Amino acid sequence: MGKSIQKEKPVKDYREVIELAEKRGELVRVKKEVEPLLELPSVSRAIGKNSPSCIPTILFENIAGYPHMRGCSAIFSEFDRAISYFGLSGNPAEVKEYFLHAIENPIKPELVSTGPCKENIVIGDIDIQKVIFPTRGAAQAQHLYYQPVVVTRHPETGEYNMGVYRATVQGKDRLTVNLRWVRHGGMHLIAAKEKGVPLEVALCIGCHPAVYIAAVTKMTYDEDEFGFAGGIIGEPLSVVKCETLDMFVPASSEIVIEGVLKPPYDLGTEGPWPEYLGYLGMDITPPVMDITAVTHRDNPINNLLIPKAPPYESIGLGNAARFLKHLRNLAGEFVVDARLTAQRHHAIIKVKKTEMMHEGLQIDVAMAALTWGAVTVDNVTLVDEDIDIYNYGHVNWAMATRCNPTNQVHVLPESRSHRNNPIAGVR
């Protein structure tokens, strides 16, 4: 099914994402001056809350103190718009099959001599807050941050990894990068520490939407996010060599911050933080990156992922495909479809029981769902094949009329969840 739902040509970069949103009538241009630390995220949340039929992409054209920059949020807030970036149209089940095909048929990136991200090159005396505006996201937050795609390279094997990790301002030319040991970027840092060598890091902002999806997808350690991004768009992703690092980055990025984590691997401080679930997280001490260069497009656009702002389920299109495959590895076509909601903490699974021996298999499937992603899925809802899992009303009706809580609600002993989920993490 891989190519069958690709009807149009994919967008070529982040700016075409904005153009496509405007063409669809789903772009809000904010021309009034907006303060970036608290006002900008507040406006993003307000627009998302008050737009129930269609949550638009929001383009901030007048950032206080940054006449050379713009900001944008909510590019993944609507499913139909998000898949249109890749020339796709179809229902969620078909889209999952397309993304599975892209994961299993990666297309290697193409190294080009230059790209839009090289329109401006800053090396030397860098004050990162003067070049790129940060945000706070919540009144209680004490630090300023960016939300980039973080590119790292294993210091021995040379294998690349992309992930979306927070970067927090620690000084004029220093940022912390939240490389956690359970993620592949953190594993690269562990390998660098064991060898006693610097880890090169590139922070990319305003990337092609395929790059964002690849970066947040739970790939296996030997899989290539750059190849997955190419598989999504159906052609090689153009990459360009960094100015001060021996690695490459997406050539069409709006902004690239280059740097190194070097011995003795200093730690910074950040927190409490407005986390993706909408709660304040804990104080943490991520490693510090020394900035070596910044490159950016003319009039660059800072992509913003705002906690508790418009929902971003569509950024998880790759995860949705991987999750369905995870369940089908156990139970095959018994699993008709599956959906991850609440930022991957709730799974809704549709099953089809056609044989007597199928009874009970749904419990095995639910148990398998709880193991996916290590610490994300906390709740599983199982429904029959006639329920539309993309319609909360359908699911709620099934729960209210088909579920007898005395024998069909199963509560397991508390296991590890994401550390910032109040039900099992920060109290």
Side-chain angles (χ1 to χ4, degrees):
M1 181 180 286
K3 296 289 183 183
S4 63
I5 60 171
Q6 190 168 41
K7 308 297 184 184
E8 305 289 341
K9 189 174 178 59
V11 299
K12 67 179 182 181
D13 60 15
Y14 189 84
R15 298 192 180 193
E16 283 199 358
V17 165
I18 296 171
E19 292 172 8
L20 182 56
E22 185 159 47
K23 183 179 179 181
R24 292 170 59 96
E26 298 173 11
L27 178 72
V28 170
R29 290 181 177 270
V30 179
K31 297 183 180 296
K32 183 179 178 181
E33 183 179 80
V34 176
E35 182 275 327
L37 301 185
L38 290 175
E39 188 176 19
L40 188 153
S42 297
V43 171
S44 293
R45 293 190 188 103
I47 291 177
K49 185 182 295 184
N50 294 316
S51 305
S53 58
C54 177
I55 301 170
T57 289
I58 309 160
L59 181 64
F60 298 92
E61 299 184 317
N62 189 353
I63 308 295
Y66 294 86
H68 64 290
M69 284 199 72
R70 293 169 287 171
C72 187
S73 69
I75 69 168
F76 291 104
S77 59
E78 291 290 331
F79 173 81
D80 287 339
R81 183 171 73 247
I83 66 172
S84 74
Y85 302 152
F86 316 113
L88 305 177
S89 61
N91 62 48
E94 290 176 319
V95 171
K96 286 192 188 80
E97 296 291 345
Y98 181 90
F99 276 83
L100 276 177
H101 181 273
I103 291 171
E104 294 167 356
N105 297 272
I107 300 175
K108 289 184 179 296
E110 178 184 10
L111 183 62
V112 296
S113 59
T114 190
C117 71
K118 300 291 189 178
E119 290 173 353
N120 299 270
I121 299 173
V122 183
I123 299 175
D125 186 21
I126 297 171
D127 187 338
I128 192 62
Q129 288 189 67
K130 289 182 179 178
V131 182
I132 309 162
F133 74 84
T135 189
R136 282 173 67 189
Q140 301 94 327
Q142 302 302 312
H143 294 86
L144 310 179
Y145 78 101
Y146 307 103
Q147 198 77 52
V149 171
V150 179
V151 182
T152 58
R153 194 179 184 194
H154 194 284
E156 260 189 314
T157 67
E159 295 293 328
Y160 279 84
N161 179 73
M162 292 196 296
V164 176
Y165 309 118
R166 184 171 57 248
T168 308
V169 176
Q170 299 292 312
K172 178 180 172 183
D173 57 359
R174 305 188 95 198
L175 299 168
T176 51
V177 185
N178 190 21
L179 293 173
R180 289 171 288 150
W181 68 268
V182 295
R183 301 290 182 242
H184 295 164
M187 296 175 188
H188 286 183
L189 177 57
I190 290 171
K193 285 181 176 180
E194 290 175 349
K195 291 178 67 66
V197 298
L199 180 70
E200 297 185 331
V201 181
L203 313 181
C204 304
I205 299 172
C207 305
H208 192 289
V211 170
Y212 280 104
I213 288 178
V216 302
T217 298
K218 293 186 179 298
M219 310 283 282
T220 61
Y221 198 53
D222 60 341
E223 289 179 324
D224 174 23
E225 285 88 358
F226 280 106
F228 177 30
I232 295 172
I233 60 178
E235 61 185 36
L237 181 76
S238 293
V239 295
V240 66
K241 194 177 184 304
C242 290
E243 293 296 312
T244 59
L245 309 177
D246 184 22
M247 58 193 301
F248 56 69
V249 292
S252 68
S253 301
E254 291 288 322
I255 303 160
V256 177
I257 306 171
E258 302 177 16
V260 291
L261 307 175
K262 57 188 178 184
Y265 313 104
D266 292 344
L267 300 179
T269 59
E270 64 168 72
W273 210 261
E275 291 286 350
Y276 71 104
L277 287 170
Y279 300 99
L280 283 175
M282 63 183 75
D283 293 332
I284 60 174
T285 55
V288 174
M289 180 186 91
D290 292 303
I291 300 171
T292 56
V294 179
T295 68
H296 62 84
R297 299 188 68 167
D298 294 333
N299 195 17
I301 306 171
N302 186 354
N303 181 69
L304 298 139
L305 299 175
I306 305 296
K308 203 71 175 175
Y312 294 107
E313 273 189 44
S314 296
I315 201 174
L317 289 167
N319 280 322
R322 294 305 292 263
F323 181 60
L324 179 60
K325 184 176 182 180
H326 171 73
L327 300 180
R328 284 184 173 170
N329 284 341
L330 168 71
E333 298 301 318
F334 173 78
V335 179
V336 178
D337 199 0
R339 180 185 185 188
L340 292 165
T341 70
Q343 299 282 12
R344 306 191 307 274
H345 287 263
H346 180 203
I348 305 173
I349 304 170
K350 180 191 295 195
V351 300
K352 181 179 181 179
K353 292 182 279 187
T354 59
E355 310 292 336
M356 287 291 293
M357 62 180 288
H358 280 162
E359 187 56 49
L361 183 56
Q362 71 272 25
I363 304 300
D364 293 339
V365 168
M367 296 289 285
L370 292 169
T371 69
W372 188 81
V375 295
T376 49
V377 178
D378 297 308
N379 303 279
V380 179
T381 300
L382 294 158
V383 299
D384 292 308
E385 61 180 302
D386 62 323
I387 300 300
D388 180 2
I389 63 174
Y390 303 97
N391 183 321
Y392 283 114
H394 272 219
V395 175
N396 191 42
W397 173 76
M399 292 173 63
T401 62
R402 297 184 180 181
C403 176
N404 181 349
T406 59
N407 58 28
Q408 288 180 300
V409 173
H410 307 278
V411 181
L412 303 179
E414 183 177 318
S415 62
R416 185 169 182 260
S417 180
H418 190 281
R419 61 187 175 182
N420 289 314
N421 185 348
I423 69 169
V426 175
R427 299 305 201 273

